[in-house]
Amino acid sequence: MMRWLVLVLGTLGLLIAVGRRQVSATGDIFTDATSQAGIAWRHANGESSEKFLIEAMGGGVALLDFDGDGLLDLFFVTGGETPKSPRSSSPHNALYRNLGNGKFADVAEKAGLVRIPFYGMGVAVADFDNDGYPDLYITGYPSCALFHNNRDGTFTDITEKAGVKNAGKWAAGAAWIDYDRDGHLDLFVSNYVKFSYNDSHNCAYKGERTYCAQTAYEGDRPTLYHNNGNGTFTDVTEQAGLSKLVGRALGVVSIDVNDDGWPDLFVARDASPNLLLINKHNGTFEDAALDAEVALSADGAARAGMGVDAGDVNGDGRPDFVVTNFNDEHHTLFLNPGKFPFREATRESGLAALTRFYVGWGAHFIDYDNDGNLDLVLANGHINPVIERTRMDVLYQEPPLLLANDGHGVFRNVKEQAGPIFRGRYLGRGLGVGDYDNDGGVDIVLTRLNDTPVLLHNNVGHRESWIGIALQGTKSNRDAIGARLTLTAGGRKLVRWITGGASYLSSHDRRLVFGLGDAPAGPMKLDIRWPNGNAQTVTGLKPNQYQKVLE
């Protein structure tokens, strides 16, 4: 194994400077920075008297550095119009450029991203052509769109040429994954249900029109596109063994589940068994969800899975999974013992009691205080406005949750310290994370149905030591999606992964922040297993800054 020194070349932009620290006057963990940042865009769901199910399901957010200036920008996906929705103003997406001073400016019009010719749902970000700039795949109904980054602040819709339109389907989540390890990112698309505006499935409560249950709709199969390396993709769903996996798929995350060096997929499905797609190294996948006991509840029922994320919550170096579900089903935690079956730890982790009455959507593991333990942030919000007439204990608008991890996978709600947003009530949907001011504290973006998003600034992450890592693949895909990183510091080992997808309809900062907590100062070592299987060891790391590592 070769030893490499990390590249820290500030004059070339490879070292991202620590941003100006913001301090909360109230002592809250997170401050609502939305208004101060200048973010005024509103999600539009096209709500109509027909109560089309799609109106209740959006919308996504992405944190990405689209212009390569070292600052995370924000992209928001609108829903759109349905056939009978009011048309007071035309729904539009937003691309907020980070100005570097806590302010953002919407440049979607100039960038060519302001409108899409379909109802938008989510977004998956990756540099699919390895040219150094992130591209956007926007999901929705009845098609999707791939926007290529022109490296000049603009994007071009190349969907038709690339062959990734996903025509006629209602696509929700999507994940970039180099499933064959050829250095080119492929694309997995979670398709939800077979849907048409011509059939709105008339449902009512006490004579009032309302949204039908998801079980009124037939599920669909996912789509897998293989990247041909020339700007085009081939639909390989059939060849990959995925065409028979019909169900109501929403969130998806790509990660190496069994530590064999090949990326797998966990798919959260709604009133359909979850999928755990194990990569067979030959272009095919096998669903092992039943063997892993992550497909169904303990009593054999399919839960209403929406969002999903993966991370090591108990410090054993293996990826565990959280899945958000409907009220009374609890948001589920699956612990990975290194072999099948997984162990459901929903009750012992505290998630059962903490999430029983909530409908969950976005979810992400986040070490908000940089103590080295992965905490959890969850977006909640009910789907049906009439729920409060049928239940006294379930609300329509619900609070997001910030759950602190004790290091052993047991969580507690820190809403009193987290900030006012975590004590409010919202129709939360998408959720993305990333450090938008480069101060080492990972920030949060929460989307709300038919409302403005919420940008939450982390006030406490910088108080502990940390180290930020940005990987750049050379033989592997440039984004290093699929890499496994092990940081050894102060006698402690922290394992993290660069995943594709994750949460609900959203994309996240590709950089990883390792919280060092109170680990004694001393040498640090970073072991990287790149997506193509190559191993690399990096020393000479410096705390409290971001450093780029080349493969």
Side-chain angles (χ1 to χ4, degrees):
M1 179 187 299
M2 298 185 68
R3 285 193 170 295
W4 293 74
L5 286 178
V6 65
L7 298 179
V8 185
L9 303 174
T11 56
L12 295 180
L14 297 184
L15 171 61
I16 301 171
V18 176
R20 188 173 58 184
R21 292 174 177 173
Q22 300 180 35
V23 180
S24 168
T26 62
D28 293 326
I29 297 171
F30 285 94
T31 297
D32 182 353
T34 315
S35 178
Q36 178 185 356
I39 297 172
W41 172 88
R42 296 177 69 90
H43 175 264
N45 74 338
E47 185 174 1
S48 70
S49 59
E50 294 293 300
K51 296 294 183 183
F52 295 106
L53 182 59
I54 200 168
E55 298 168 5
M57 304 292 287
V61 58
L63 292 95
L64 73 160
D65 180 9
F66 82 92
D67 53 1
D69 65 355
L71 298 169
L72 285 179
D73 312 299
L74 304 173
F75 178 72
F76 295 101
V77 182
T78 195
E81 296 173 340
T82 57
K84 295 188 178 181
S85 61
R87 288 170 168 77
S88 56
S89 61
S90 182
H92 62 279
N93 304 315
L95 176 64
Y96 279 97
R97 182 173 182 267
N98 190 336
L99 303 179
N101 57 358
K103 305 286 187 181
F104 290 78
D106 189 357
V107 296
E109 187 81 52
K110 177 183 177 182
L113 294 171
V114 71
R115 288 183 177 84
I116 48 178
F118 54 88
Y119 191 102
M121 287 290 293
V123 55
V125 174
D127 180 8
F128 81 87
D129 57 354
N130 296 324
D131 68 352
Y133 283 76
D135 310 297
L136 298 175
Y137 187 72
I138 303 175
T139 63
Y141 170 81
S143 62
C144 299
L146 178 60
F147 285 90
H148 180 257
N149 191 327
N150 298 323
R151 298 181 285 180
D152 61 0
T154 69
F155 291 77
T156 299
D157 185 345
I158 62 167
T159 311
E160 295 289 349
K161 176 185 175 183
V164 291
K165 190 173 183 178
N166 203 43
K169 296 182 179 294
W170 174 355
W176 292 96
I177 173 176
D178 184 7
Y179 74 89
D180 55 357
R181 305 201 318 182
D182 66 353
H184 302 291
L185 286 169
D186 313 299
L187 180 62
F188 179 92
V189 182
S190 293
N191 296 313
Y192 186 45
V193 297
K194 295 182 178 178
F195 177 81
S196 171
Y197 290 129
N198 296 322
D199 183 2
S200 58
H201 288 69
N202 192 340
C203 296
Y205 174 75
K206 292 186 177 181
E208 181 180 343
R209 191 74 176 265
T210 188
Y211 296 110
C212 293
Q214 75 281 67
T215 50
Y217 299 82
E218 181 184 352
D220 208 344
R221 70 177 194 173
T223 307
L224 179 64
Y225 291 107
H226 177 260
N227 187 337
N228 300 320
N230 59 1
T232 69
F233 293 75
T234 300
D235 185 341
V236 294
T237 309
E238 186 83 32
Q239 300 94 305
L242 304 178
S243 59
K244 295 181 180 180
L245 300 178
V246 174
R248 304 171 191 89
L250 289 171
V252 56
V253 61
S254 67
I255 194 169
D256 182 5
V257 173
N258 54 7
D259 201 32
D260 65 354
W262 292 75
D264 311 298
L265 292 157
F266 191 115
V267 184
R269 301 207 298 180
D270 188 5
S272 304
N274 296 326
L275 302 176
L276 184 62
L277 303 177
I278 301 300
N279 193 326
K280 304 304 291 181
H281 312 179
N282 60 1
T284 69
F285 290 85
E286 180 181 22
D287 181 21
L290 287 173
D291 290 339
E293 297 184 2
V294 299
L296 306 166
S297 68
D299 57 6
R303 287 175 277 213
M306 263 78 88
V308 60
D309 194 24
D312 178 14
V313 301
N314 55 3
D316 64 2
R318 294 184 287 265
D320 310 301
F321 294 92
V322 64
V323 181
T324 54
N325 299 303
F326 213 71
N327 58 264
D328 301 326
E329 295 179 339
H330 318 298
H331 302 356
T332 313
L333 180 65
F334 295 109
L335 296 181
N336 182 351
K339 60 181 180 180
F340 294 160
F342 282 22
R343 181 167 65 87
E344 183 172 335
T346 305
R347 292 191 181 279
E348 63 202 70
S349 68
L351 279 186
L354 291 167
T355 66
R356 175 183 174 186
F357 300 113
Y358 299 138
V359 175
W361 303 86
H364 213 288
F365 292 115
I366 170 178
D367 183 4
Y368 71 83
D369 53 0
N370 280 334
D371 65 353
N373 302 320
L374 287 181
D375 311 299
L376 181 59
V377 60
L378 300 162
N380 301 301
H382 214 280
I383 196 170
N384 215 321
V386 302
I387 186 61
E388 294 180 29
R389 302 183 200 174
T390 65
R391 293 280 297 268
M392 298 295 293
D393 54 355
V394 178
L395 302 173
Y396 179 48
Q397 297 186 351
E398 300 172 340
L401 297 175
L402 182 65
L403 307 180
N405 181 359
D406 69 353
H408 304 286
V410 177
F411 297 92
R412 61 183 174 88
N413 193 345
V414 293
K415 66 178 181 179
E416 297 304 325
Q417 300 80 39
I421 288 293
F422 293 92
R423 299 188 292 274
R425 292 168 51 185
Y426 314 97
L427 295 180
R429 292 296 188 265
L431 185 151
V433 305
D435 183 6
Y436 75 83
D437 57 352
N438 294 329
D439 68 350
V442 179
D443 309 301
I444 299 170
V445 184
L446 171 74
T447 70
R448 299 185 290 175
L449 187 71
N450 232 24
D451 206 340
T452 56
V454 178
L455 175 65
L456 293 173
H457 178 261
N458 186 329
N459 300 312
V460 303
H462 65 268
R463 297 177 186 172
E464 298 283 2
S465 293
W466 57 276
I467 184 167
I469 301 296
L471 297 188
Q472 181 179 319
T474 53
K475 298 180 176 65
S476 300
N477 69 84
R478 188 181 177 98
D479 283 345
I481 294 175
R484 180 182 190 268
L485 295 83
T486 303
L487 180 72
T488 303
R492 186 177 183 186
K493 285 189 177 182
L494 300 175
V495 181
R496 303 288 186 263
W497 295 261
I498 298 182
T499 62
S503 189
Y504 178 75
L505 307 181
S506 301
S507 288
H508 319 278
D509 195 346
R510 288 277 176 243
R511 302 172 300 176
L512 292 179
V513 175
F514 288 87
L516 303 177
D518 56 3
M524 290 182 285
K525 182 183 73 165
L526 181 67
D527 292 305
I528 304 167
R529 186 174 67 199
W530 291 88
N532 63 8
N534 289 343
Q536 183 173 342
T537 296
V538 178
T539 57
L541 298 165
K542 297 181 180 180
N544 303 321
Q545 61 186 32
Y546 284 95
Q547 289 146 100
K548 178 172 282 189
V549 182
L550 296 179
E551 182 182 13

